């Protein structure tokens, strides 16, 4: 497993392996794969490099290699930003240190993460290969790929360069409500639901918090979504998000939760070897339904009849075929009136605690997987059933 040191994601899969009576997976930490390392290295302090990771992987040709999210590790995040800044030419002042929860330099972060992924061996028995992970971490490129494969997604208005550009895109497409999305974000970071009417009134809602600091607009991720009605504030917020890469898509209304408790929902669906496994309704009273924002889970199995559940299975299976070499993908979807739209594909979309599917957690499901040697990696369509040992 490749991931941040002390990651709860790594711990989760290690625990699942122990529960199966299997040996612990060898861990390689991002901190050690960065040039120069960020701390104590592997094997008593010796620093690793991507080349050394290649040697480790090559020494175990039958191993299943899982690359985990680099998230929840502030020092690693800063190092990737620094690496990306240099990879993009190191023009201008170096990135300043970020405050806790601050959302900035995401384009540098992606460039740094992409460069690190590119340095890993292209062919190994990956759960998800590095180039697919890079492809899904660029949300706009991912949506374009899904669309090119014939997968229904919310109509794209295009890449966003700032607030005035947003207004121009709305006029060009005749749109009144859209989502502004950070191109390299995750977990709802930098996502704004935006509305404007013909009288000029506008509103934005999201987890991004605008903080004015000495005349500089800073954006912070907040667990308490906020609503903005002031046009000047919205402009500064949109400009700050667009400066680090963003795009705009039409706002597809989500279906109402049928349990009488209020709210609307979308679906997180986890595909394993191309087939739908874990699934959950994410219910929110606002436009954002990410569960970590205080939203609730819905009993999807009780809300969808057999026909709708079959439609979800087909939609997930077809979306997974856009990344045929990736064995685990989390999709966010809207399923409504017999149609489906894929909102996002997430290479790290398996962090779903206490959500068993047929008695297995996402990590327990993966602990049963049989490695697929790189030369025989699955191609679309996938194997008829998850390749469990």
């Amino acid at each position: 497993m490749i991931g941040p040191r002390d990651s709860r994601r790594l711990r989760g899969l290690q625990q699942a392996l122990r529960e199966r009576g299997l040996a612990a997976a060898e861990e390689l930490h991002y901190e050690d794969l960065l040039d120069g390392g960020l701390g104590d290295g592997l094997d008593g302090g010796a620093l690793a490099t991507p080349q050394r990771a290649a040697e480790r992987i090559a020494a175990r040709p039958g191993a299943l290699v899982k690359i985990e999210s680099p998230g929840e590790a502030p020092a690693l995040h800063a190092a990737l930003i620094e690496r990306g800044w240099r990879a993009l030419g190191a023009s201008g002042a170096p990135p300043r240190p970020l405050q806790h929860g601050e959302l900035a330099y995401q384009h540098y972060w992606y460039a740094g993460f992409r460069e690190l992924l590119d340095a890993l061996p292209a062919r190994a028995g990956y759960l998800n290969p590095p180039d697919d992970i890079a492809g899904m971490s660029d949300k706009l490129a991912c949506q374009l790929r899904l669309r090119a494969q014939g997968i229904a997604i919310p109509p794209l208005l295009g890449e966003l360069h700032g607030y005035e550009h947003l207004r121009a895109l709305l006029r060009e497409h005749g749109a009144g409500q859209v989502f502004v999305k950070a191109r390299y974000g995750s977990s709802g970071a930098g996502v704004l639901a935006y509305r404007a009417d013909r009288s000029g009134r506008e509103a934005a809602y999201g987890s991004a918090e605008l903080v004015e600091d000495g005349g500089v607009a800073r954006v912070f991720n907040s667990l308490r979504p906020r609503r903005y009605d002031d046009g000047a504030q919205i402009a500064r917020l949109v400009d700050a998000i667009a400066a680090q890469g963003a795009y705009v898509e039409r706002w597809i209304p989500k279906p109402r939760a049928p349990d009488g408790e209020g709210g609307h929902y979308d679906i997180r669906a986890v595909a394993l070897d191309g087939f739908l496994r874990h699934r959950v309704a994410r219910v929110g009273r606002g436009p954002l339904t990410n569960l970590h924002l205080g939203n609730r889970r819905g009993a999807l199995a009780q809300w969808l009849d057999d026909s709708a559940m079959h439609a979800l299975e087909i939609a997930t299976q077809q979306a997974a075929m856009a990344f045929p070499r990736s064995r685990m993908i989390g999709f966010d979807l809207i399923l409504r009136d017999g149609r489906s739209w894929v909102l996002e594909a997430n290479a790290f979309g398996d962090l779903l605690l206490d959500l068993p599917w047929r008695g297995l957690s996402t990590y327990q499901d993966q602990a049963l997987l049989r490695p697929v040697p790189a030369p025989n990696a699955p191609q679309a369509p996938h194997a008829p059933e998850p390749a469990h040992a």
Side-chain angles (χ1 to χ4, degrees):
M1 292 193 291
I2 300 175
R5 185 179 291 111
D6 299 325
S7 163
R8 60 172 171 162
R9 292 172 175 267
L10 298 187
R11 292 198 301 270
L13 187 48
Q14 294 283 28
Q15 180 179 340
L17 292 171
R18 285 196 300 273
E19 291 167 352
R20 292 292 302 168
L22 300 173
E26 181 179 355
E27 295 186 9
L28 297 173
H29 299 137
Y30 284 123
E31 292 87 341
D32 298 318
L33 298 180
L34 291 169
D35 295 336
L38 291 176
D40 293 336
L42 299 170
D43 295 342
L47 294 177
T49 65
Q51 289 73 27
R52 189 173 178 190
E55 294 175 1
R56 295 277 187 99
I57 293 171
R60 295 160 179 77
L64 177 62
V65 182
K66 183 180 185 185
I67 302 173
E68 266 295 1
S69 166
E72 301 182 348
L76 171 62
H77 188 79
L80 291 172
I81 288 174
E82 170 78 13
R83 185 187 181 104
W85 174 70
R86 295 188 184 283
L88 294 178
S91 61
R96 56 175 170 75
L98 300 184
Q99 298 179 22
H100 177 70
E102 186 173 3
L103 184 70
Y105 307 125
Q106 284 298 104
H107 54 314
Y108 290 153
W109 171 86
Y110 177 76
F113 186 44
R114 175 76 198 235
E115 189 178 71
L116 183 60
L117 291 172
D118 288 345
L120 295 174
R123 301 188 69 81
Y126 289 113
L127 184 73
N128 291 350
D131 54 345
D132 272 10
I133 292 173
M136 284 184 264
S137 298
D138 180 342
K139 301 302 181 187
L140 176 57
C142 180
Q143 291 299 87
L144 291 171
R145 178 168 175 166
L146 290 168
R147 189 176 69 180
Q149 295 291 319
I151 308 302
I153 62 171
L156 296 170
L157 276 63
E159 191 172 0
L160 181 64
H161 304 300
Y163 174 75
E164 293 301 328
H165 186 217
L166 172 63
R167 301 288 293 182
L169 286 174
L170 294 178
R171 291 191 296 271
E172 177 185 347
H173 292 271
Q177 57 181 29
V178 296
F179 271 95
V180 173
K181 293 190 171 182
R183 182 167 181 169
Y184 311 113
S186 63
S187 303
V191 176
L192 289 176
Y194 175 87
R195 280 195 176 105
D197 63 22
R198 294 179 179 177
S199 69
R201 290 181 301 181
E202 55 187 334
Y205 179 94
S207 60
E209 179 183 4
L210 178 69
V211 175
E212 301 287 355
D213 183 7
V216 176
R218 292 189 173 190
V219 180
F220 290 81
N221 292 314
S222 172
L223 294 178
R224 185 172 64 86
R226 299 163 188 274
R227 176 186 170 98
Y228 294 87
D229 297 294
D230 179 78
Q233 278 194 322
I234 293 173
R236 288 194 291 276
L237 187 57
V238 171
D239 284 344
I241 293 173
Q244 44 193 309
Y247 64 100
V248 185
E249 69 182 24
R250 282 193 183 269
W251 181 335
I252 303 294
K254 298 173 182 175
R256 185 178 299 278
D259 58 2
E261 297 185 18
H264 295 76
Y265 74 96
D266 63 12
I267 299 169
R268 166 60 61 91
V270 178
L272 195 66
D273 278 345
F275 287 85
L276 174 64
R277 304 287 286 182
H278 299 75
R279 70 291 304 266
V280 64
R282 311 185 307 174
V283 191
R285 293 184 179 276
L288 274 61
T289 53
N290 303 73
L291 294 174
H292 72 285
L293 298 179
N295 296 311
R296 64 183 175 92
R297 295 179 176 182
L300 192 65
Q302 300 174 21
W303 294 359
L304 301 185
D305 59 21
D306 289 345
S307 175
M309 190 62 79
H310 180 66
L312 175 62
E313 292 171 350
I314 295 300
T316 304
Q317 184 172 335
Q318 290 176 338
M321 292 176 71
F323 294 91
R325 294 176 299 133
S326 287
R327 303 183 66 180
M328 188 289 300
I329 307 175
F331 291 102
D332 295 336
L333 307 99
I334 292 175
L335 191 67
R336 197 193 69 211
D337 302 331
R339 297 185 61 187
S340 64
W341 295 264
V342 176
L343 305 177
E344 182 177 322
N346 192 330
F348 309 121
D350 57 351
L351 185 61
L352 294 171
L353 304 178
D354 304 319
L355 183 72
W357 167 247
R358 295 180 176 172
L360 298 175
S361 70
T362 52
Y363 293 136
Q364 290 169 332
D365 220 11
Q366 292 167 30
L368 294 172
L369 281 177
R370 183 174 61 237
V372 176
N376 300 317
Q379 301 293 324
H382 293 298
E385 292 294 339
H388 282 147

